[in-house]
Amino acid sequence: MEKTMLMPAYYNVMSQEEMTYTEGGATLTEALLNWIPPVGWYLGVMAVRDYRKKNPNSWIETGLDALSRDMNRSPENLIRDAGRTFWFVGSCATGVGLVINAALILL
């Protein structure tokens, strides 16, 4: 007996990170967790860093448009992204936070 696994012709393996895009984004719990100061700040900085790495030549010009598109996808994404943005911008308002954020994003 041969053990062979057959998949449809259109089958594509996805990572867990890619599933976020197919499932519609953030859950309500995830969205609310982004309003906790260290969580929201860290995830906001890492989101900017990841976007910069994916778009090295245009991240400054296209970043706000990408954030706006993501916020418009669902109410949960809006809550999540608003929390991350609030803590990121709030930390940038301090001189030390601005330097730390820039260092983390540009590494």
Side-chain angles (χ1 to χ4, degrees), residues 39-102:
V39 175
W41 167 77
Y42 177 76
L43 293 174
V45 170
M46 291 300 111
V48 173
R49 181 180 179 188
D50 293 342
Y51 188 78
R52 182 191 64 83
K53 287 185 176 189
K54 289 179 184 173
N55 304 286
N57 298 324
S58 63
W59 68 281
I60 293 174
E61 294 86 15
T62 61
L64 289 177
D65 293 332
L67 177 64
S68 176
R69 278 192 306 275
D70 189 56
M71 287 178 146
N72 288 330
R73 289 183 60 206
S74 71
E76 291 84 3
N77 283 10
L78 174 67
I79 295 168
R80 178 194 66 196
D81 293 343
R84 289 179 181 181
T85 303
F86 178 81
W87 291 116
F88 179 80
V89 171
S91 67
C92 284
T94 68
V96 175
L98 180 61
V99 172
I100 292 170
N101 289 350

Side-chain angles (χ1 to χ4, degrees), residues 17-29:
E17 290 177 353
E18 291 174 312
M19 287 302 291
T20 301
Y21 301 110
T22 62
E23 294 172 350
T27 64
L28 185 57
T29 304

